[in-house]
Amino acid sequence: MLPSGTMRRAIRKALVIGLFVGLVGSCGGMGAADASLDVSTCQDNWNVLLQASQNVWVIGTGTAGSGLSWSNGQLYFQYRDWEKATGNQWAIASISTLDSLPLLSNVAPFGALGWWIESDQLIYVDDNLVLNAMPLAGGVQPTPLADLSQGTLNAYYFGFVLDTEAVYWISLDWAQSSTATGWSVWRALRSTGERQQLAIMPSQSATSGTGSRLTLTQDSVMADNGLRGVPGGILYVVPKTGGTPRELPAPSYGSLLATSADGVVLWLELLQGGQSYSMWRATVDGATPTPFWADKPPELFLEDAWSDGNGGWYLSASEYTSPKHLSDTQHTSIWSLDSSGHGTRLACNPAPRTVASSASALSPTTLFLLDQGISSSDTTSIVSIAR
């Protein structure tokens, strides 16, 4: 039985809440000797491009971290307008990153399960699980590229990722009790629409695969079991042409933080006493993880990371302006981490109790993020940070 939209949202919300509570709990109890954040030294590089009102409209993100794309001076995103007469209407829009006061302009009057900008084209998966292409300029009907479900009953597909050859996704199998009974990785060729099941994935529990993300490398697909940010996360590698999933080595008490198209993996490992953790770096070839960012501030709580496309990373973190780590003194900070493991704080949100979401985009000079309040699942702003 296909879960309802409400059930899907509840599953995603439970995963996000569990991830945040689990990690915050593991980092609690740090001593007053820890250094506190001085917001005045980093807030100037936190620039809000577009602010969404929770009572009017919200910016949407996907479980795979899609939801933000930059191309030729335009920043693209998906949003839902609560004031539309037709209901909770989704649309894909853009703003100019070159204007001091950017205005929102709709690109497509609909939402999508997954979408990408390629040159002058919008590629997207619609609600009927069909991959389509249409010009960004509009004016013509979308061109269907592949039917992903091909009549499959109760299909629950998510985690869509795209390369020049195919679209890839995760399929959850559901029992009548609305619990997952297994998961698999699929692809469909863009040129012919031909579908292929790449692998049936190992299942440790009824929730295995729920909330999973896919990362494409040159010749493989990395898929986690849905437990990012908490111990118990497993990362698998599947050949793009199909084959048996291969589990990658992880630290003994590791939490998966991030993966990149270069085939690099970042893990966090909770240290004895539960008051700090170390970072480990691994690769898709299966080599043993090695320590990374040796001089990471011990009081820094990392929440997410994104590849900078050049061997380094951008990271979002929680820091506190009080040594007591009171909840109303917690701020989001953004860091860069180069390929040699040297970290630099780039910016911080002057507003407390916020957390950067798992969507980002890069221009040659700027990192763009979706940001949301910690008390809400609705993204409220688009932020730019000079790289």
Side-chain angles (χ1 to χ4, degrees):
M1 177 179 179
L2 180 65
S4 66
T6 300
M7 182 178 296
R8 295 184 194 182
R9 289 191 294 272
I11 290 171
R12 294 174 184 142
K13 185 175 182 180
L15 286 169
V16 171
I17 292 174
L19 182 153
F20 183 81
V21 171
L23 281 178
V24 169
S26 71
C27 296
M30 294 183 185
D34 293 330
S36 299
L37 173 69
D38 182 358
V39 174
S40 66
T41 64
C42 53
Q43 64 180 354
D44 289 346
N45 198 24
W46 183 277
N47 302 296
V48 177
L49 290 182
L50 185 66
Q51 185 75 43
S53 168
Q54 282 184 293
N55 296 325
V56 180
W57 62 284
V58 296
I59 305 167
T61 61
T63 57
S66 62
L68 203 60
S69 180
W70 181 90
S71 179
N72 295 322
Q74 294 290 316
L75 191 64
Y76 298 86
F77 58 96
Q78 186 168 246
Y79 76 99
R80 182 168 55 188
D81 192 334
W82 293 91
E83 290 191 331
K84 293 290 185 182
T86 54
N88 302 335
Q89 180 67 51
W90 286 99
I92 297 173
S94 71
I95 57 175
S96 170
T97 59
L98 305 177
D99 297 338
S100 57
L101 295 174
L103 297 177
L104 180 150
S105 175
N106 278 356
V107 174
F110 52 77
L113 301 177
W115 58 271
W116 305 267
I117 305 298
E118 286 188 351
S119 185
D120 60 349
Q121 293 279 306
L122 169 66
I123 313 295
Y124 67 96
V125 178
D126 65 22
D127 288 340
N128 295 317
L129 298 174
V130 175
L131 182 71
N132 299 275
M134 63 174 285
L136 287 173
V140 299
Q141 290 297 312
T143 301
L145 302 179
D147 181 357
L148 309 188
S149 67
Q150 293 187 8
T152 302
L153 297 178
N154 298 329
Y156 183 35
Y157 299 165
F158 67 100
F160 301 97
V161 289
L162 187 79
D163 65 13
T164 57
E165 183 180 9
V167 60
Y168 305 75
W169 70 91
I170 297 165
S171 172
L172 282 185
D173 301 322
W174 291 86
Q176 292 300 316
S177 59
S178 297
T179 58
T181 58
W183 62 299
S184 52
V185 177
W186 291 71
R187 77 169 182 176
L189 298 180
R190 296 170 58 170
S191 58
T192 64
E194 178 186 356
R195 292 195 321 163
Q196 179 187 4
Q197 185 183 71
L198 301 184
I200 298 175
M201 306 301 291
S203 292
Q204 292 77 34
S205 70
T207 60
S208 292
T210 306
S212 174
R213 302 182 195 178
L214 300 182
T215 301
L216 301 179
T217 68
Q218 183 174 356
D219 55 10
S220 63
V221 183
M222 290 191 286
D224 64 78
N225 65 342
L227 295 179
R228 288 201 177 208
V230 294
I234 300 174
L235 186 62
Y236 301 98
V237 178
V238 177
K240 280 186 175 179
T241 54
T244 303
R246 173 170 53 90
E247 182 178 338
L248 291 180
S252 58
Y253 198 60
S255 300
L256 179 61
L257 178 64
T259 51
S260 78
D262 298 327
V264 177
V265 184
L266 295 184
W267 295 90
L268 300 178
E269 183 180 38
L270 191 65
L271 300 179
Q272 188 174 6
Q275 295 188 349
S276 186
Y277 54 91
S278 59
M279 179 181 286
W280 296 73
R281 182 183 184 275
T283 50
V284 72
D285 59 8
T288 302
T290 56
F292 197 54
W293 199 4
D295 60 349
K296 180 184 70 65
E299 72 280 1
L300 194 67
F301 161 53
L302 296 173
E303 293 167 343
D304 214 332
W306 311 275
S307 170
D308 68 0
N310 194 34
W313 300 84
Y314 293 107
L315 311 103
S316 66
S318 286
E319 296 190 74
Y320 294 81
T321 56
S322 164
K324 294 183 179 180
H325 289 189
L326 302 175
S327 60
D328 60 353
T329 67
Q330 177 255 326
H331 294 252
T332 293
S333 62
I334 304 299
W335 291 68
S336 66
L337 184 64
D338 65 25
S339 58
S340 64
H342 175 70
T344 303
R345 186 192 291 111
L346 297 180
C348 60
N349 190 341
R353 294 185 61 78
T354 56
V355 56
S357 71
S358 56
S360 67
L362 293 176
S363 78
T365 60
T366 308
L367 166 68
F368 301 99
L369 293 173
L370 299 183
D371 185 73
Q372 66 188 40
I374 198 171
S375 61
S376 171
S377 61
D378 292 336
T379 300
T380 58
S381 60
I382 297 177
V383 176
S384 70
I385 295 168
R387 299 174 60 178

